[in-house]
Amino acid sequence: MLLEQILFYFFATVLILSATMVVTSKNPIHATLFLVLAIFNSAILWLMLEAEFLAIALVLVYVGAVMVLFLFVVMMLDIDIATMRAHFIRYLPIGLVVFITMMVEMILFVGTRYFGLEQFAKPVAKSADYSNIEELGQVLYTVHLYPFEIAAVILLVAIIAAITLTLRHKPNTRYQDPSHQIHVDPKDRVELLKMPAEKL
Amino acid sequence: MEQSLLELWKAIPASLQWLIWTLVKIVLIIAPLLLSVAYYTFAERKIIGFIQVRLGPTRVGPRGWLQPIADAVKLLFKEIIIPSGSNKVLFLIAPALAIAPALAAWAVIPFDVGLVLADINAGLLYVLALTSIGVYGVIIAGWASNSKYAFLGAMRLAAQIVSYELAMGFALVGVLIAAQSMNLQQIVLAQQGSILHWFWLPLLPLFMIYFISGVAETNRAPFDVAEGESEIVAGFHVEYSGMAFAIFFLAEYANMILISTLTVLLFLGGWLSPFQGIPVLEDWFAFVPGTIWLLLKIAFFAFVFLWLRATFPRYRYDQIMRLGWKVFIPITIVWLLVVGLAVVYQLPWWFD
């Protein structure tokens, strides 16, 4: 129990520190990498809650795919750090107001008063061979089938929309048609001529 | 002496005992792995030498057998040059980020029934998640080097890995539908029967796509555009020297062995004997332990990596993307439907 608490506070501290660094670090690449660290640490916290499927899916989807593309884009952007710093000071008051409001709200509502052990009993720890992937699958594909399918369709629509928005046909671009390339006949390309040897 | 050692062991609290025992197991996996990585590089030079009608390394030790040791010593003593204008911290963290997932993935690999460090339910998912983290080492290395070539290599690799991960993930989904489990041991046990019961046959397209995506994922020829020495010098690790370079090298080879192992576990029956179910041969080869079969199969796929490198010219970048998105992903999606139907209707032989 003690070890578990030490681990929890360690990872929670790293999570909060890296989340703070996302906002405060000067370099956008550093900010992105701290965001990766923050996501990774929250995945570890989920793992400690015995939600191993969600934890691994978080790492797989966000760390492994989304943040890679994010990093890709941030690296390609030409960001002027000096103007960013100037804006940081300018927007600091607004940021502080939002920050303080959110903190007060969270302290008021997400506390032991509403979510303490009196309101919600401590869940029983499951045994090691308990598979929450199976549980999730059972629920997702039976009870919550329609919401799940609708979410999938919405995502599909979003993908199609994003692709159509960015799809630009440039008239001057030349494309190669691979099937055309494969079906090339040597006879069309090379003409073998037979000539009698000439004597000098 | 033995008695007192045993008493000393019993005096240690149980949780500490468990910790020490786990560390010993980790060393038992990692040490042979690193040794085989060293000799894999030697095998690569010898085999490609043979294919190209050369001799390969012959000078260090008898028939060149000490060459990898000499290489390691040389790299250890070389200076690590940090380029000016580079980001020092990220520059040095990048190799560690490349090797850590390559080694950590071995935690869930079973070597025989029950012979596994962490027998977790979500083993397959864990491996997929860890291999997807490996790309950070390369991206960060490319960016922190403050070099155009390194940056171009990193950008190429990032796009390539993200594309091929999708095909790879879909292939794994096919395996988990067929085995109805994500536990790697259960997946191997689901293939029991005979060589024809292994998943390579019902999942043939997925098997081939998985291995080819694996080659692309490990950034090996013919998909090694991230290095592309004729175009961008050496890609992402152009600024690295000494041990920092050696670690990238190690990570690449460890990943190749990992992909070979996963291919064997998922599609070729892992530690199961190929003579299972054949009347006479099964008895003859019953004495061979499963781990030997596993290692033999891994060695074959490790060889295929080298064979591919010596055979094919490098892909053009747009063709790599076309292969990943327009060929592999549609095939895997179609085959997922086929596998799903076969499992639902309990296709005899494999899924009954």
Side-chain angles (χ1 to χ4, degrees), chain A residues 90-133:
Chain A
R90 209 174 104 199
Y91 292 121
L92 193 62
I94 307 170
L96 274 179
V97 169
V98 173
F99 171 71
I100 290 168
T101 330
M102 277 175 72
M103 280 308 281
V104 169
E105 280 174 358
M106 281 207 266
I107 289 165
L108 281 178
F109 294 108
V110 191
T112 45
R113 191 141 52 101
Y114 297 108
F115 294 97
L117 282 176
E118 298 88 51
Q119 276 75 22
F120 293 94
K122 186 171 175 275
V124 187
K126 298 283 196 290
S127 64
D129 58 343
Y130 172 79
S131 163
N132 63 30
I133 302 164

Side-chain angles (χ1 to χ4, degrees), chain A residues 40-68:
Chain A
F40 200 82
N41 275 286
S42 48
I44 294 172
L45 291 186
W46 281 6
L47 204 60
M48 292 179 70
L49 287 170
E50 299 179 13
E52 80 262 5
F53 175 74
L54 290 177
I56 298 175
L58 187 69
V59 172
L60 182 62
V61 175
Y62 282 90
V63 178
V66 174
M67 291 313 292
V68 172

Side-chain angles (χ1 to χ4, degrees), chain B residues 66-338:
Chain B
L66 295 178
Q67 184 69 43
I69 313 283
D71 285 343
V73 171
K74 183 192 83 178
L75 285 167
L76 267 173
F77 285 106
K78 277 180 94 172
E79 184 190 358
I80 297 176
I81 299 163
I82 297 175
S84 62
S86 68
N87 193 314
K88 276 201 190 70
V89 179
L90 288 181
F91 186 79
L92 294 176
I93 282 179
L97 281 177
I99 189 126
L103 297 182
W106 286 87
V108 294
I109 302 290
F111 295 95
D112 205 335
V113 188
L115 201 63
V116 51
L117 179 64
D119 186 18
I120 61 171
N121 279 327
L124 199 58
L125 209 58
Y126 170 86
V127 169
L128 193 62
L130 274 183
T131 46
S132 71
I133 295 176
V135 64
Y136 278 99
V138 175
I139 298 186
I140 292 173
W143 182 77
S145 298
N146 189 29
S147 155
K148 292 273 185 300
Y149 292 126
F151 188 63
L152 279 174
M155 290 290 108
R156 284 181 174 193
L157 190 68
Q160 180 183 323
I161 287 192
V162 170
S163 317
Y164 278 85
E165 220 168 62
L166 288 169
M168 216 171 179
F170 278 130
L172 293 185
V173 171
V175 173
L176 92 90
I177 292 175
Q180 310 199 356
S181 172
M182 281 212 216
N183 185 315
L184 287 169
Q185 273 199 66
Q186 300 294 331
I187 289 173
V188 173
L189 291 177
Q191 303 177 43
Q192 238 159 3
S194 74
I195 194 163
L196 296 175
H197 282 78
W198 297 351
F199 286 156
W200 68 275
L201 202 54
L203 305 180
L204 191 62
L206 298 185
F207 164 52
M208 287 161 79
I209 286 173
Y210 182 81
F211 189 69
I212 297 172
S213 304
V215 177
E217 193 98 329
T218 48
N219 183 29
R220 288 291 296 182
F223 298 100
D224 60 342
V225 288
E227 282 181 44
E229 50 289 74
S230 54
E231 304 144 30
I232 48 171
V233 193
F236 63 93
H237 57 48
V238 64
E239 302 291 346
Y240 281 85
S241 61
M243 215 45 211
F245 166 73
I247 287 177
F248 274 120
F249 207 65
L250 254 160
E252 182 178 325
Y253 283 79
N255 270 325
M256 282 156 69
I257 300 178
L258 182 70
I259 293 289
S260 312
T261 311
L262 284 171
T263 313
V264 168
L265 286 174
L266 301 176
F267 298 99
L268 286 169
W271 59 79
L272 299 174
S273 159
F275 300 114
Q276 208 177 23
I278 302 170
V280 185
L281 286 173
E282 188 179 8
D283 297 334
W284 283 4
F285 285 95
F287 70 95
V288 182
T291 313
I292 299 291
W293 289 124
L294 180 71
L295 293 179
L296 280 177
K297 292 174 192 172
I298 294 172
F300 173 73
F301 279 99
F303 169 72
V304 172
F305 266 99
L306 309 181
W307 194 6
L308 285 177
R309 179 177 162 185
T311 308
F312 292 113
R314 185 176 295 134
Y315 253 101
R316 211 173 60 203
Y317 193 73
D318 60 318
Q319 288 176 337
I320 288 185
M321 284 299 158
R322 182 180 163 271
L323 184 72
W325 287 98
K326 293 187 180 171
V327 181
F328 281 0
I329 293 177
I331 294 177
T332 46
I333 291 175
V334 169
W335 207 257
L336 279 187
L337 271 174
V338 175

